[in-house]
Amino acid sequence: MDIEEIKTYFEQGRYDEVIHSVDLLPEVQKFEGTSYKILILCLRGEIKRALPLFAQLEKFSSAEESNTVHYIVLALKTCIKSYQGREQEVYEAFKAGEKYLDRMNRQEKNQTKEWEGWFHYGLGTLFLSSEMYEKPILEHLRKALDIIDSLPKKGGLEWILRNLTQYCAMTNQVETAEKYRKEIYNRMNDINHVFGQDFSLSMSAGFQWFRGEYEASIEGFAKTLSTFEGNKLYTLVVGVLNAHATIYLMKGEFEKAIEHAEEAIQVMNQHGFYWPYPWNVVMGAYLNKGDTETSLKYTKQRLILMEEFQNHKGIIKQLRWIAQIYYTKAEYEEALKWTEKCLPHTIRSKNLREQVWVLELIGIIYYQMGKLDPAIKYLQQALTLSKDLRKEFGGEGITTGHVQANLAELYSMRGDFDQALELMESSLALMENHESAWYQYNFYLTMGTILMKKGDFLKAKTQLQKSLALNKKYGNIELLADTLYHLVLVNCELDSVDEAQQYFQQLEQLSRTTTDPKVTQQIQIAKGIIYKKSPRAVMKAKAQEIFQHIAREEKIELDLSIFGMLNLLELLIWEVSSSGHEEVLAEIQQLLQRLDNLAQQQKAHTLEIEVRLIQSRLKLIMGNINQAMEVLKQAHDIAHENNLSNYQNRIERQEEEIEAELQKWRELTERNAPLIERIQESQVIDYIDTALRLVGKGSSQEERIKTPSAK
């Protein structure tokens, strides 16, 4: 037995044979053989098993003067500590290793080319596990690839290619990721690798997951699990469990997601390595379930872990997660406190991507607090930085696209539809020039909802159909449900009820694959809208029953609940205009008061204004002209305070209309005109329709930021 046989075994994936053969090596080769043994244990995730061996190697190196020995030990330390997530120790080892490398190069005695490759692998892996998808990952992993690929024996090359594939997939460089995946497949076949077939199959399953082929992906990953467990490849076992967990999260099957993610965390704890992804799934699943307290508990546990590891990138991630959880709980002041803790870390670490995300989140929080100007200011800062990120990153535009989509939503809420649509067109153009053009489905959905608010339903339908076509191929359950839901609404607006029914049936069918309560609520609302479109009173009564139930039940998604309440309001007005029953007016007033309270609690100023515009019409119907003008003045003040110029113009036009119609309303009041006539003259239905279009559709872009990425 000699070291060349060890290298051959390593290249062929015969890891147990490497581990058991080291003791058979000549004494002079045992140091290098033990180094391979430790590297293999590291790649498999057996860090607890590797640490005692590494301690022996460190002790041996302390008595050695050889630069080569010290360099190999530091390369191994870089790999081990990166798998443990101990960021500071990785940096220290890498920095020390560079000194030895420089010394060996100057002495022209560098016989450690292979270990230089594993040095770069360790640092690249640290960045990858820190979810810092920046240039350093690419630089270090490509350097590792070039070095190992240049050697006669290319042991471990598949692990470098795997990380490069993951990096390219996570940064949506699909074609490049596919190139690396094929390289893995070809290499495994060429050398008759022990677990190569399953290694390649897991990469293919990853691509099926990435393309939205969830069932095929789950099946592909499941086929690999026994091989990975049998070969003690615990890092790959965790990869499979995490993939299942993430897919179940995207499908809305939160209990299954938690079960698989917690099993992955248990495997990591048992063997002593750390990856963030299963933790992300657990936190995201509890958050999506509405269990914010458990999500917060996991996040704070992980923050303590990151502080113990001195993992600054992990600390940044956890601080942002905590801010997002408090944002989801509508505790906006607390959310801002955590973003204030997070932002300085991102600036000091020069982590542009996290800085963009934190600035974006601050903007979203300010919007929810009703502070539109600072919201736009922070989103503009995020947009500027995201463009810097694109320059540094070589054209990657998804982050810019997301920020622009959030800005577009804010502009649309303010009524600046042209500016909003211009931003969305820019986002779509970025995606068209990007390898991941398929990711456009999210932006087509956002553009469709903005066009619906503008009242351009035909164009909105076209955008939503584009989103649906891509979503069915690549999307996740939540976004597919959102798209189908909005297609029901837009077709009802266009009086294409038969087509709306077809999309509704697809939405119902989709609901059978998820336990997400939001999808259930969307189905209820979609059914109510279809019933409401019917000319028959019995169907409108069914719609009213559905919306009354939504108004009474727990607010699963506030935007959806508000939309249901506005539809109920419209049906109650329709009932009064048909029957003339004045007692229904009291129910209408109570509902308007509930909507106003919700708007004030959420600082939803556009809803506050729309409610007051409707209230002013109701005051006219009841003959209270002065009160109608007073309510309009309140609405004008809200619009002025929040720089909602489009709303100010609308309110001023309504004030002018009432002034011009004063005589008509006095006459209607004096002759005690029938209620039905007064409702018709008030045009209150038109005002409710406007409110439904502008503030009631639900599932807007800023709502979608509530759920953190489970990457």
Side-chain angles (χ1 to χ4, degrees):
M1 177 64 63
D2 65 19
I3 198 67
E4 289 306 313
E5 287 180 85
I6 292 288
K7 291 181 180 181
T8 299
Y9 291 162
F10 182 31
E11 185 176 37
Q12 294 173 346
R14 296 160 67 180
Y15 291 168
D16 278 338
E17 290 177 72
V18 173
I19 290 167
H20 298 314
S21 299
V22 167
D23 290 339
L24 304 177
L25 288 170
E27 198 64 34
V28 71
Q29 294 180 349
K30 280 187 177 177
F31 171 82
E32 191 174 359
T34 303
S35 300
Y36 280 112
K37 182 176 179 178
I38 292 169
L39 178 59
I40 285 168
L41 291 172
C42 182
L43 294 172
R44 298 203 307 194
E46 293 187 272
I47 301 301
K48 287 183 178 179
R49 191 175 167 192
L51 285 173
L53 288 171
F54 179 71
Q56 292 174 22
L57 224 59
E58 270 195 311
K59 185 177 180 181
F60 171 78
S61 70
S62 64
E64 287 287 318
E65 294 183 3
S66 167
N67 291 325
T68 300
V69 167
H70 285 285
Y71 187 76
I72 292 173
V73 168
L74 287 166
L76 287 169
K77 186 174 185 178
T78 302
C79 290
I80 289 170
K81 298 304 178 183
S82 73
Y83 271 72
Q84 290 182 303
R86 296 183 178 273
E87 180 184 318
Q88 195 59 38
E89 291 182 64
V90 174
Y91 290 151
E92 288 168 2
F94 191 84
K95 191 174 179 180
E98 283 184 320
K99 290 180 181 176
Y100 282 105
L101 181 63
D102 180 61
R103 194 179 302 166
M104 286 186 292
N105 286 336
R106 280 189 280 109
Q107 294 172 353
E108 297 183 355
K109 292 181 180 179
N110 183 7
Q111 299 174 335
T112 60
K113 198 67 179 173
E114 178 179 4
W115 294 101
E116 185 182 346
W118 291 109
F119 246 122
H120 288 286
Y121 171 83
L123 198 53
T125 300
L126 172 74
F127 288 141
L128 193 63
S129 67
S130 298
E131 301 170 276
M132 181 182 170
Y133 304 117
E134 310 291 350
K135 264 187 175 177
I137 297 179
L138 198 59
E139 289 168 353
H140 287 292
L141 291 179
R142 278 185 176 162
K143 189 86 177 277
L145 178 65
D146 291 342
I147 291 170
I148 302 301
D149 199 29
S150 69
L151 301 172
K153 300 285 177 65
K154 308 177 194 303
L157 187 69
E158 64 273 12
W159 295 92
I160 302 168
L161 286 166
R162 179 178 183 268
N163 280 3
L164 276 165
T165 305
Q166 183 183 347
Y167 166 79
C168 291
M170 289 300 198
T171 54
N172 302 287
Q173 299 175 67
V174 183
E175 292 176 7
T176 309
E178 176 66 10
K179 182 192 81 172
Y180 287 129
R181 186 194 69 80
K182 286 178 180 175
E183 192 171 340
I184 291 172
Y185 177 80
N186 293 334
R187 169 177 160 68
M188 295 299 199
N189 281 344
D190 290 344
I191 62 171
N192 194 26
H193 198 282
V194 168
F195 55 87
Q197 187 175 351
D198 288 282
F199 196 95
S200 299
L201 180 57
S202 72
M203 300 305 296
S204 297
F207 268 79
Q208 288 170 321
W209 161 21
F210 204 57
R211 290 193 297 263
E213 299 167 14
Y214 297 140
E215 296 308 320
S217 178
I218 287 174
E219 185 180 341
F221 276 119
K223 287 177 181 177
T224 68
L225 194 56
S226 60
T227 297
F228 294 159
E229 288 174 335
N231 284 276
K232 304 183 188 70
L233 299 164
Y234 299 113
T235 49
L236 300 182
V237 169
V238 167
V240 170
L241 293 170
N242 178 69
H244 283 174
T246 306
I247 290 168
Y248 285 126
L249 175 63
M250 294 173 80
K251 290 177 67 178
E253 298 181 41
F254 303 129
E255 293 301 334
K256 285 185 179 179
I258 291 166
E259 178 188 341
H260 283 83
E262 287 186 335
E263 188 179 348
I265 291 169
Q266 186 178 355
V267 172
M268 291 192 294
N269 289 340
Q270 183 180 348
H271 295 285
F273 67 99
Y274 167 81
W275 280 349
Y277 310 111
W279 287 84
N280 289 350
V281 174
V282 171
M283 293 183 291
Y286 278 115
L287 196 58
N288 275 280
K289 279 178 64 179
D291 188 350
T292 51
E293 291 307 317
T294 304
S295 183
L296 194 59
K297 180 189 80 173
Y298 270 93
T299 310
K300 288 185 175 179
Q301 282 177 2
R302 192 168 153 204
L303 177 60
I304 292 168
L305 195 64
M306 293 298 95
E307 288 172 339
E308 179 192 331
F309 289 174
Q310 293 183 293
N311 189 322
H312 300 293
K313 296 175 186 65
I315 290 168
I316 289 169
K317 183 74 69 175
Q318 297 324 297
L319 291 171
R320 182 168 63 84
W321 265 88
I322 292 169
Q324 285 188 286
I325 292 169
Y326 280 115
Y327 164 78
T328 304
K329 293 174 72 177
E331 295 180 25
Y332 301 129
E333 294 288 353
E334 190 67 21
L336 278 178
K337 285 180 187 175
W338 286 93
T339 60
E340 286 166 5
K341 292 178 182 179
C342 185
L343 193 57
H345 281 283
T346 67
I347 294 168
R348 280 197 300 271
S349 66
K350 298 180 181 178
N351 190 333
L352 280 183
R353 190 181 302 279
E354 280 289 347
Q355 200 173 334
V356 168
W357 286 340
V358 174
L359 288 167
E360 183 181 28
L361 179 58
I362 293 171
I364 296 297
I365 293 168
Y366 273 120
Y367 168 72
Q368 293 291 358
M369 294 174 74
K371 298 177 180 179
L372 200 58
D373 286 343
I376 289 174
K377 171 189 149 187
Y378 277 100
L379 281 169
Q380 288 284 11
Q381 286 181 27
L383 183 58
T384 300
L385 270 183
S386 76
K387 290 175 179 176
D388 292 342
L389 180 66
R390 281 171 56 212
K391 289 173 190 172
E392 180 179 323
F393 196 60
E396 195 272 338
I398 286 179
T399 304
T400 298
H402 275 301
V403 177
Q404 288 184 163
N406 276 310
L407 259 176
E409 279 288 343
L410 293 193
Y411 283 128
S412 74
M413 290 289 179
R414 204 165 69 174
D416 296 337
F417 297 114
D418 291 339
Q419 196 164 359
L421 291 169
E422 186 180 328
L423 282 166
M424 287 313 305
E425 284 164 4
S426 172
S427 293
L428 282 166
L430 281 172
M431 292 300 95
E432 285 165 3
N433 295 324
H434 193 275
E435 286 184 11
S436 297
W438 56 266
Y439 202 74
Q440 294 169 18
Y441 64 78
N442 200 351
F443 297 127
Y444 282 128
L445 171 58
T446 302
M447 185 173 256
T449 59
I450 292 171
L451 284 163
M452 286 177 74
K453 288 175 184 175
K454 189 181 180 184
D456 196 339
F457 297 114
L458 274 173
K459 284 185 179 177
K461 180 177 176 178
T462 300
Q463 299 299 319
L464 291 170
Q465 285 173 330
K466 288 179 181 178
S467 175
L468 183 65
L470 288 170
N471 223 318
K472 283 183 174 179
K473 189 175 181 183
Y474 299 120
N476 63 40
I477 297 295
E478 182 187 359
L479 290 177
L480 182 54
D482 272 354
T483 305
L484 289 167
Y485 166 74
H486 282 96
L487 277 164
V488 172
L489 301 189
V490 79
N491 277 288
C492 284
E493 292 286 358
L494 292 166
D495 293 324
S496 302
V497 179
D498 288 344
E499 198 171 346
Q501 284 276 16
Q502 292 171 18
Y503 288 119
F504 176 74
Q505 287 166 9
Q506 292 180 48
L507 183 60
E508 270 196 316
Q509 188 176 358
L510 183 69
S511 71
R512 299 187 191 108
T513 66
T514 178
T515 56
D516 191 340
K518 176 184 169 183
V519 177
T520 304
Q521 195 173 27
Q522 285 174 323
I523 287 171
Q524 287 181 306
I525 289 176
K527 185 186 290 186
I529 295 295
I530 291 170
Y531 286 160
K532 191 181 81 169
K533 289 298 293 184
S534 173
R536 297 184 60 195
V538 66
M539 301 307 288
K540 290 188 185 294
K542 283 186 177 181
Q544 188 168 324
E545 187 178 331
I546 287 170
F547 292 127
Q548 281 173 331
H549 175 72
I550 290 168
R552 287 193 302 267
E553 71 181 357
E554 183 184 351
K555 305 294 181 288
I556 296 166
E557 284 285 326
L558 189 59
D559 279 4
L560 291 171
S561 298
I562 287 169
F563 187 51
M565 293 166 76
L566 285 169
N567 274 284
L568 176 59
L569 181 65
E570 185 178 41
L571 286 164
L572 290 171
I573 293 288
W574 177 84
E575 183 183 343
V576 175
S577 66
S578 302
S579 66
H581 293 156
E582 292 204 14
E583 62 269 21
V584 181
L585 288 175
E587 193 175 342
I588 290 169
Q589 286 177 315
Q590 288 175 4
L591 187 57
L592 279 169
Q593 189 58 55
R594 284 184 63 197
L595 282 165
D596 191 38
N597 291 342
L598 275 174
Q600 290 187 54
Q601 287 167 16
Q602 298 297 315
K603 295 185 171 58
H605 301 309
T606 53
L607 179 60
E608 277 189 274
I609 293 167
E610 292 295 344
V611 167
R612 279 166 174 72
L613 291 175
I614 296 167
Q615 283 176 329
S616 73
R617 293 282 110 180
L618 201 62
K619 298 292 184 186
L620 286 176
I621 291 167
M622 298 171 71
N624 300 321
I625 298 169
N626 291 337
Q627 288 182 22
M629 295 297 285
E630 178 58 33
V631 171
L632 279 181
K633 183 180 181 302
Q634 293 171 12
H636 193 279
D637 290 345
I638 294 167
H640 177 72
E641 288 167 9
N642 293 281
N643 195 26
L644 299 170
S645 56
N646 286 357
Y647 273 100
Q648 290 181 66
N649 295 336
R650 272 184 63 201
I651 295 162
E652 286 164 7
R653 285 197 300 272
Q654 188 171 339
E655 287 171 334
E656 290 168 3
E657 286 173 12
I658 293 177
E659 292 285 355
E661 295 175 347
L662 276 176
Q663 187 58 36
K664 179 184 77 173
W665 283 104
R666 287 194 183 105
E667 288 175 3
L668 287 168
T669 304
E670 286 169 5
R671 67 181 174 85
N672 197 23
L675 182 56
I676 292 173
E677 182 184 352
R678 281 178 275 154
I679 287 174
Q680 289 172 345
E681 290 291 339
S682 73
Q683 299 177 316
V684 66
I685 290 289
D686 293 341
Y687 283 79
I688 296 172
D689 282 343
T690 301
L692 282 166
R693 175 169 56 82
L694 291 175
V695 299
K697 296 302 179 190
S699 307
S700 59
Q701 182 75 16
E702 71 270 17
E703 285 298 303
R704 283 200 289 275
I705 201 174
K706 282 185 178 181
T707 306
S709 167
K711 288 179 182 178

